[in-house]
Amino acid sequence: MIKIIILIIFFKILVVKGEFSDGYGGGILDSSAECSGYVGDSIEQPLCNNRLYNGGKKIYSTIDSSNISSQEISKVSILKSFEALTFLQGQCDDLLFTQFSICDLNLSPCIETTPLETPLKIISLPQRLCKSVCERLVSNCPRLSLKIDCSISFMFPKLGSEYNLTNYGYTDNGGMYRVPCIDPTEGYNKVSNDMELIEACPYPILLKNSSDPKYSPDKGYTYLPPTNCVLTCPMPNYPKQQWQQVFNMAKSLSSISFVLACYNIVTFGILNKKKYTKYNICITLMSASIALVYLTDIIKFGYGIEEFLCPEPGRSSVQDDAVCGITGAMFHIGITYCCCWAMTMSVVLFCSVKRIKLFYFRHFMIGNTVFTIISTVILLSAKKMVAGTGYIECWVRDRWFVVSLFWIPCGIGLGIGIFCIFGVIHEIYNISKKVNIRESQFIIRQIKPFSLVFSVAGSFLYLFIFFFDVERKIDGYKEAVADYVMCLLNGGTEETCFTTGPNYASFFIFYFFIRIFGVLFFAIYGTSRIARDIWSETIFDEVRSRLSQTSTEIGLSRNNSRNSIKLSKNTNKNSNNSNNSNNSNNSNSSDKNSKPEN
Ligand SMILES: *[C@@H]1O[C@H](CO)[C@@H](O)[C@H](O)[C@H]1NC(C)=O
Ligand SMILES: *[C@@H]1O[C@H](CO)[C@@H](O)[C@H](O)[C@H]1NC(C)=O
Ligand SMILES: *[C@@H]1O[C@H](CO)[C@@H](O)[C@H](O)[C@H]1NC(C)=O
């Protein structure tokens, strides 16, 4: 529940000097004032229709220098007061009566009297709320006493107001004309049973109906209980241009990472026909799963990120929005599988450095896949894929689901990964002390996978810390929404009021790290000698097959002889780099042969 001390100015305080009778407050005569009917509520915002004293037939009205009716100005301040009252629900009693009183306070009933001397223009005078009414308001809601001072007799006279009409020929009571104060209680009692509190939400917060199934919180509306006000979407944590920065970063980095991850898949998974090592499988599957994550970004930005996150004003996407459900599942599969294979890779690395054979690789394959599929199915059947507020993708926002199905397994994997990395570091240290050249060369070969695991584990560690830091502070963020509402109630705007969320820089880095993996994998693996070998072999094979085609069809020609020179260069280079690159014709059989080795 939101606790708010209202700071809205309910009325302007005027001090009238002079001597008035006991129980009466002073009044100032405005000869341009008129008694006129209530201008009425605007269609979209109910205010004081049916809530005014005497049905609002005569309201004290003036016109200011720019031809704006005082009633219109009053409506603005009534709306402001209603907004504040909306957030006082649950803290104050009888707010409906307060609304009636606020209407009468701002749209004063009007009394007309005719001058006893020329000019005979009718005099219009406002009727004030009685002090007893004011006291009832404050006793119902002590917080109001911060803004309403019932001792001001100009606003809240005990009996009425006195106007000096000496100049209009009045002589009774020393020329002081008396206007009785009003008490809306009677009228209120008649109609209050059929009426509900009017809720109003300060812009840009929107008013919905939480008891209407169409606008239920399950549909993606974030209510500010006990009100029916919903937060804007995306969450007003950061200014618009900062959100835009995150979007732009995600868009460009995801595209780059996607392309680079695809390059890795092509290199290690498709072109690499000869060496299905454990590493290569890990790299391929890590790249494929992370590419899936970037693919969700590409889909989102193709669809339009704002429409994706917020399909309707104030509503954030939920699983039933097809694009959210689909990208959520893809994101979860991608990020979980990637995490699994990062762990697998560090275990494989550790085992090969230690020269131990702990597990069958096949078991990792089955375990990783089964875990990923099961957790995805659980989340989808529980309908947990939502965009939430303050995020840029559809994923799990339910604390216990995401902790038990992602962060804890991922944390365990991360722990195993870090343990293995330290095992590897220890091994490097031991070996470098011995200065055995062959062994150290062997270790140097492990540096790339080592740095890959290290940077991935480091990034995951950051994501881990960020997530739990946000979870730890989430109640604080929720409480701070009250400050945001206060800021809006005090006349703040979208540009000046923000909810409290995670620090922008760490938020930005969080999303940056998720999207940098593709670049990371490319930098470490896509540029490695193994990758270069795969490509040069492929090109070699291609040239060779073209060559053999050409030679069988046309026979030897000048072009052919030129190609064969290049070819022979390639052959030399490849034979230096790799031992089994020359036998491309029987690549399939060597493929089959090499698999069981791993
Ligand atoms: C004020 O508004 C009324 C009608 O709303 C119009 O007749 C009148 O000319 C306006 N006066 C000025 C000074 O704009
Ligand atoms: C009422 O106004 C008249 C004229 O302005 C003034 O002479 C008189 O003292 C005023 N009466 C009171 C009670 O202030
Ligand atoms: C909210 O929805 C419920 C259920 O549809 C309805 O009974 C109620 O009148 C609505 N409230 C408002 C203020 O529209």
Side-chain angles (χ1 to χ4, degrees), residues 500-517:
T500 310
N503 168 278
Y504 177 70
S506 54
F507 174 81
F508 188 93
I509 294 170
F510 179 77
Y511 284 106
F512 179 81
F513 268 149
I514 295 176
R515 279 154 187 86
I516 199 71
F517 288 140

PDB file of all heavy atoms in Angstrom, residues 500-517:
ATOM      1  N   THR A 500      12.124   4.961  -8.534  1.00  0.00           N
ATOM      2  CA  THR A 500      13.472   4.543  -8.216  1.00  0.00           C
ATOM      3  C   THR A 500      13.664   3.126  -8.707  1.00  0.00           C
ATOM      4  O   THR A 500      12.875   2.242  -8.378  1.00  0.00           O
ATOM      5  CB  THR A 500      13.703   4.602  -6.696  1.00  0.00           C
ATOM      6  OG1 THR A 500      13.266   5.877  -6.261  1.00  0.00           O
ATOM      7  CG2 THR A 500      15.151   4.401  -6.362  1.00  0.00           C
ATOM      8  N   GLY A 501      14.665   2.921  -9.523  1.00  0.00           N
ATOM      9  CA  GLY A 501      14.972   1.574 -10.008  1.00  0.00           C
ATOM     10  C   GLY A 501      16.450   1.334  -9.835  1.00  0.00           C
ATOM     11  O   GLY A 501      17.142   2.126  -9.189  1.00  0.00           O
ATOM     12  N   PRO A 502      16.942   0.254 -10.421  1.00  0.00           N
ATOM     13  CA  PRO A 502      18.380   0.009 -10.355  1.00  0.00           C
ATOM     14  C   PRO A 502      19.146   1.190 -10.967  1.00  0.00           C
ATOM     15  O   PRO A 502      18.643   1.847 -11.865  1.00  0.00           O
ATOM     16  CB  PRO A 502      18.553  -1.247 -11.216  1.00  0.00           C
ATOM     17  CG  PRO A 502      17.209  -1.840 -11.344  1.00  0.00           C
ATOM     18  CD  PRO A 502      16.225  -0.755 -11.183  1.00  0.00           C
ATOM     19  N   ASN A 503      20.315   1.408 -10.457  1.00  0.00           N
ATOM     20  CA  ASN A 503      21.194   2.440 -10.984  1.00  0.00           C
ATOM     21  C   ASN A 503      21.317   2.289 -12.501  1.00  0.00           C
ATOM     22  O   ASN A 503      21.490   1.176 -12.992  1.00  0.00           O
ATOM     23  CB  ASN A 503      22.555   2.259 -10.301  1.00  0.00           C
ATOM     24  CG  ASN A 503      23.641   3.062 -10.942  1.00  0.00           C
ATOM     25  OD1 ASN A 503      24.212   2.632 -11.950  1.00  0.00           O
ATOM     26  ND2 ASN A 503      23.914   4.201 -10.399  1.00  0.00           N
ATOM     27  N   TYR A 504      21.201   3.421 -13.212  1.00  0.00           N
ATOM     28  CA  TYR A 504      21.121   3.327 -14.675  1.00  0.00           C
ATOM     29  C   TYR A 504      22.352   2.661 -15.280  1.00  0.00           C
ATOM     30  O   TYR A 504      22.240   1.810 -16.162  1.00  0.00           O
ATOM     31  CB  TYR A 504      20.914   4.708 -15.299  1.00  0.00           C
ATOM     32  CG  TYR A 504      20.906   4.676 -16.808  1.00  0.00           C
ATOM     33  CD1 TYR A 504      19.846   4.092 -17.492  1.00  0.00           C
ATOM     34  CD2 TYR A 504      21.963   5.177 -17.545  1.00  0.00           C
ATOM     35  CE1 TYR A 504      19.828   4.023 -18.871  1.00  0.00           C
ATOM     36  CE2 TYR A 504      21.955   5.120 -18.934  1.00  0.00           C
ATOM     37  CZ  TYR A 504      20.891   4.554 -19.582  1.00  0.00           C
ATOM     38  OH  TYR A 504      20.870   4.478 -20.953  1.00  0.00           O
ATOM     39  N   ALA A 505      23.536   3.017 -14.787  1.00  0.00           N
ATOM     40  CA  ALA A 505      24.761   2.472 -15.375  1.00  0.00           C
ATOM     41  C   ALA A 505      24.810   0.963 -15.208  1.00  0.00           C
ATOM     42  O   ALA A 505      25.084   0.225 -16.164  1.00  0.00           O
ATOM     43  CB  ALA A 505      25.983   3.125 -14.731  1.00  0.00           C
ATOM     44  N   SER A 506      24.476   0.473 -14.013  1.00  0.00           N
ATOM     45  CA  SER A 506      24.554  -0.981 -13.817  1.00  0.00           C
ATOM     46  C   SER A 506      23.443  -1.686 -14.582  1.00  0.00           C
ATOM     47  O   SER A 506      23.628  -2.811 -15.049  1.00  0.00           O
ATOM     48  CB  SER A 506      24.510  -1.331 -12.331  1.00  0.00           C
ATOM     49  OG  SER A 506      23.407  -0.767 -11.723  1.00  0.00           O
ATOM     50  N   PHE A 507      22.320  -1.014 -14.730  1.00  0.00           N
ATOM     51  CA  PHE A 507      21.222  -1.553 -15.545  1.00  0.00           C
ATOM     52  C   PHE A 507      21.672  -1.690 -16.999  1.00  0.00           C
ATOM     53  O   PHE A 507      21.476  -2.715 -17.644  1.00  0.00           O
ATOM     54  CB  PHE A 507      20.035  -0.598 -15.422  1.00  0.00           C
ATOM     55  CG  PHE A 507      18.851  -0.900 -16.303  1.00  0.00           C
ATOM     56  CD1 PHE A 507      17.928  -1.858 -15.944  1.00  0.00           C
ATOM     57  CD2 PHE A 507      18.649  -0.195 -17.483  1.00  0.00           C
ATOM     58  CE1 PHE A 507      16.827  -2.115 -16.736  1.00  0.00           C
ATOM     59  CE2 PHE A 507      17.552  -0.446 -18.284  1.00  0.00           C
ATOM     60  CZ  PHE A 507      16.648  -1.423 -17.908  1.00  0.00           C
ATOM     61  N   PHE A 508      22.317  -0.633 -17.486  1.00  0.00           N
ATOM     62  CA  PHE A 508      22.805  -0.620 -18.861  1.00  0.00           C
ATOM     63  C   PHE A 508      23.834  -1.736 -19.056  1.00  0.00           C
ATOM     64  O   PHE A 508      23.766  -2.498 -20.019  1.00  0.00           O
ATOM     65  CB  PHE A 508      23.437   0.747 -19.161  1.00  0.00           C
ATOM     66  CG  PHE A 508      23.815   0.952 -20.597  1.00  0.00           C
ATOM     67  CD1 PHE A 508      22.929   1.554 -21.477  1.00  0.00           C
ATOM     68  CD2 PHE A 508      25.056   0.558 -21.071  1.00  0.00           C
ATOM     69  CE1 PHE A 508      23.266   1.753 -22.797  1.00  0.00           C
ATOM     70  CE2 PHE A 508      25.402   0.748 -22.393  1.00  0.00           C
ATOM     71  CZ  PHE A 508      24.506   1.348 -23.259  1.00  0.00           C
ATOM     72  N   ILE A 509      24.760  -1.859 -18.114  1.00  0.00           N
ATOM     73  CA  ILE A 509      25.820  -2.862 -18.223  1.00  0.00           C
ATOM     74  C   ILE A 509      25.228  -4.268 -18.192  1.00  0.00           C
ATOM     75  O   ILE A 509      25.692  -5.160 -18.900  1.00  0.00           O
ATOM     76  CB  ILE A 509      26.867  -2.673 -17.092  1.00  0.00           C
ATOM     77  CG1 ILE A 509      27.590  -1.348 -17.302  1.00  0.00           C
ATOM     78  CG2 ILE A 509      27.860  -3.815 -17.058  1.00  0.00           C
ATOM     79  CD1 ILE A 509      28.469  -0.943 -16.148  1.00  0.00           C
ATOM     80  N   PHE A 510      24.188  -4.450 -17.384  1.00  0.00           N
ATOM     81  CA  PHE A 510      23.509  -5.748 -17.314  1.00  0.00           C
ATOM     82  C   PHE A 510      23.079  -6.187 -18.712  1.00  0.00           C
ATOM     83  O   PHE A 510      23.390  -7.293 -19.160  1.00  0.00           O
ATOM     84  CB  PHE A 510      22.299  -5.620 -16.394  1.00  0.00           C
ATOM     85  CG  PHE A 510      21.494  -6.882 -16.239  1.00  0.00           C
ATOM     86  CD1 PHE A 510      21.939  -7.906 -15.422  1.00  0.00           C
ATOM     87  CD2 PHE A 510      20.278  -7.030 -16.890  1.00  0.00           C
ATOM     88  CE1 PHE A 510      21.193  -9.063 -15.261  1.00  0.00           C
ATOM     89  CE2 PHE A 510      19.527  -8.185 -16.738  1.00  0.00           C
ATOM     90  CZ  PHE A 510      19.996  -9.205 -15.927  1.00  0.00           C
ATOM     91  N   TYR A 511      22.384  -5.286 -19.405  1.00  0.00           N
ATOM     92  CA  TYR A 511      21.920  -5.645 -20.742  1.00  0.00           C
ATOM     93  C   TYR A 511      23.071  -5.716 -21.740  1.00  0.00           C
ATOM     94  O   TYR A 511      23.048  -6.507 -22.677  1.00  0.00           O
ATOM     95  CB  TYR A 511      20.829  -4.670 -21.191  1.00  0.00           C
ATOM     96  CG  TYR A 511      19.538  -4.991 -20.488  1.00  0.00           C
ATOM     97  CD1 TYR A 511      19.047  -4.197 -19.471  1.00  0.00           C
ATOM     98  CD2 TYR A 511      18.853  -6.149 -20.802  1.00  0.00           C
ATOM     99  CE1 TYR A 511      17.891  -4.540 -18.799  1.00  0.00           C
ATOM    100  CE2 TYR A 511      17.703  -6.504 -20.139  1.00  0.00           C
ATOM    101  CZ  TYR A 511      17.220  -5.689 -19.140  1.00  0.00           C
ATOM    102  OH  TYR A 511      16.095  -6.058 -18.474  1.00  0.00           O
ATOM    103  N   PHE A 512      24.085  -4.903 -21.506  1.00  0.00           N
ATOM    104  CA  PHE A 512      25.261  -4.917 -22.363  1.00  0.00           C
ATOM    105  C   PHE A 512      25.944  -6.286 -22.280  1.00  0.00           C
ATOM    106  O   PHE A 512      26.275  -6.881 -23.303  1.00  0.00           O
ATOM    107  CB  PHE A 512      26.212  -3.803 -21.919  1.00  0.00           C
ATOM    108  CG  PHE A 512      27.481  -3.739 -22.717  1.00  0.00           C
ATOM    109  CD1 PHE A 512      27.493  -3.114 -23.946  1.00  0.00           C
ATOM    110  CD2 PHE A 512      28.647  -4.308 -22.235  1.00  0.00           C
ATOM    111  CE1 PHE A 512      28.655  -3.052 -24.689  1.00  0.00           C
ATOM    112  CE2 PHE A 512      29.816  -4.257 -22.967  1.00  0.00           C
ATOM    113  CZ  PHE A 512      29.818  -3.628 -24.198  1.00  0.00           C
ATOM    114  N   PHE A 513      26.130  -6.794 -21.070  1.00  0.00           N
ATOM    115  CA  PHE A 513      26.828  -8.066 -20.889  1.00  0.00           C
ATOM    116  C   PHE A 513      26.089  -9.215 -21.561  1.00  0.00           C
ATOM    117  O   PHE A 513      26.711 -10.084 -22.147  1.00  0.00           O
ATOM    118  CB  PHE A 513      27.043  -8.353 -19.403  1.00  0.00           C
ATOM    119  CG  PHE A 513      28.357  -7.848 -18.890  1.00  0.00           C
ATOM    120  CD1 PHE A 513      28.497  -7.429 -17.578  1.00  0.00           C
ATOM    121  CD2 PHE A 513      29.462  -7.791 -19.718  1.00  0.00           C
ATOM    122  CE1 PHE A 513      29.714  -6.962 -17.097  1.00  0.00           C
ATOM    123  CE2 PHE A 513      30.688  -7.325 -19.250  1.00  0.00           C
ATOM    124  CZ  PHE A 513      30.804  -6.908 -17.933  1.00  0.00           C
ATOM    125  N   ILE A 514      24.752  -9.212 -21.443  1.00  0.00           N
ATOM    126  CA  ILE A 514      24.010 -10.297 -22.084  1.00  0.00           C
ATOM    127  C   ILE A 514      24.272 -10.270 -23.592  1.00  0.00           C
ATOM    128  O   ILE A 514      24.362 -11.309 -24.227  1.00  0.00           O
ATOM    129  CB  ILE A 514      22.501 -10.165 -21.794  1.00  0.00           C
ATOM    130  CG1 ILE A 514      22.238 -10.359 -20.310  1.00  0.00           C
ATOM    131  CG2 ILE A 514      21.697 -11.181 -22.608  1.00  0.00           C
ATOM    132  CD1 ILE A 514      20.805 -10.154 -19.903  1.00  0.00           C
ATOM    133  N   ARG A 515      24.408  -9.065 -24.148  1.00  0.00           N
ATOM    134  CA  ARG A 515      24.511  -8.933 -25.586  1.00  0.00           C
ATOM    135  C   ARG A 515      25.924  -8.936 -26.123  1.00  0.00           C
ATOM    136  O   ARG A 515      26.127  -8.901 -27.334  1.00  0.00           O
ATOM    137  CB  ARG A 515      23.763  -7.660 -26.017  1.00  0.00           C
ATOM    138  CG  ARG A 515      22.297  -7.917 -26.095  1.00  0.00           C
ATOM    139  CD  ARG A 515      21.412  -6.733 -25.895  1.00  0.00           C
ATOM    140  NE  ARG A 515      20.032  -7.194 -25.839  1.00  0.00           N
ATOM    141  CZ  ARG A 515      19.432  -7.629 -24.734  1.00  0.00           C
ATOM    142  NH1 ARG A 515      20.085  -7.624 -23.591  1.00  0.00           N
ATOM    143  NH2 ARG A 515      18.202  -8.075 -24.773  1.00  0.00           N
ATOM    144  N   ILE A 516      26.905  -8.990 -25.234  1.00  0.00           N
ATOM    145  CA  ILE A 516      28.290  -8.953 -25.698  1.00  0.00           C
ATOM    146  C   ILE A 516      28.841 -10.357 -25.926  1.00  0.00           C
ATOM    147  O   ILE A 516      29.867 -10.534 -26.567  1.00  0.00           O
ATOM    148  CB  ILE A 516      29.176  -8.168 -24.689  1.00  0.00           C
ATOM    149  CG1 ILE A 516      30.484  -7.698 -25.339  1.00  0.00           C
ATOM    150  CG2 ILE A 516      29.479  -8.970 -23.443  1.00  0.00           C
ATOM    151  CD1 ILE A 516      30.318  -6.606 -26.338  1.00  0.00           C
ATOM    152  N   PHE A 517      28.120 -11.384 -25.435  1.00  0.00           N
ATOM    153  CA  PHE A 517      28.643 -12.752 -25.536  1.00  0.00           C
ATOM    154  C   PHE A 517      28.987 -13.150 -26.974  1.00  0.00           C
ATOM    155  O   PHE A 517      29.998 -13.803 -27.210  1.00  0.00           O
ATOM    156  CB  PHE A 517      27.651 -13.762 -24.960  1.00  0.00           C
ATOM    157  CG  PHE A 517      27.551 -13.723 -23.456  1.00  0.00           C
ATOM    158  CD1 PHE A 517      26.325 -13.846 -22.834  1.00  0.00           C
ATOM    159  CD2 PHE A 517      28.679 -13.553 -22.682  1.00  0.00           C
ATOM    160  CE1 PHE A 517      26.235 -13.806 -21.448  1.00  0.00           C
ATOM    161  CE2 PHE A 517      28.592 -13.508 -21.299  1.00  0.00           C
ATOM    162  CZ  PHE A 517      27.361 -13.637 -20.685  1.00  0.00           C
TER     163      PHE A 517
END
